[in-house]
Amino acid sequence: SDYFKTIYDYAELYAEFLKGVKGKVGYESLKNRYGSFPGVFSEISCENRYAFARIAARLKDKNSESNYGERFIYGGELRLNLTDRLQAYWRLVNVQSNFLNKNWATAFYQLRYNIGWDLETYLEYGDGWATDNLAWDTDITDTERDTTDVIKLIMKLSF
């Protein structure tokens, strides 16, 4: 029956430019028994041997007045190769719900040191799983969440 029918449309334009720069823009639309909820998004990234950076922005569920309503989501991530063995990584996502008149955000920070002999050490702040897909991660886009105050020291040995 049409009561359970859900239609999701998605289209994107993707381009790769010189010097490792990539970009995409697109449109999405969700149609179900509650209505039609269009959205738009864009993303730009750049990578070279020293760093990787990505910025994403998304307007989700335009004109929606259910659940969290219309949301503007933006996020970014940055990885810096500080030395041959030391890496710094940062990721942040912010969600602005116009319907609820609320804002929420979460972040994740990591220092990685490759000791050698397949042994790595990580010092982390926050939970990375809630933002691992930036503006597309429903753990943050469809759930009010703040940065988790947790510090982790991880040693990983591959053998």
Side-chain angles (χ1 to χ4, degrees), residues 3-4 16 18 22 28 34 56 61 83 103 117 120 126 140:
Y3 185 78
F4 295 105
E16 291 190 17
L18 297 175
K22 301 172 187 173
E28 63 177 338
Y34 301 112
D61 297 341
T83 69
N103 238 28
W117 311 287
E120 298 173 316
I140 182 74

Side-chain angles (χ1 to χ4, degrees), residues 85-87 108-116 118-129 150-158:
R85 295 180 181 245
L86 184 63
Q87 251 182 15
F108 173 70
Y109 306 92
Q110 180 186 77
L111 275 176
R112 174 185 171 262
Y113 185 73
N114 182 2
I115 296 170
D118 292 327
L119 181 62
E120 298 173 316
T121 304
Y122 299 87
L123 179 62
E124 299 179 345
Y125 175 74
D127 280 329
W129 59 269
V150 61
I151 297 173
K152 298 176 190 171
L153 179 62
I154 301 167
M155 292 188 80
K156 183 172 112 178
L157 176 62
S158 301

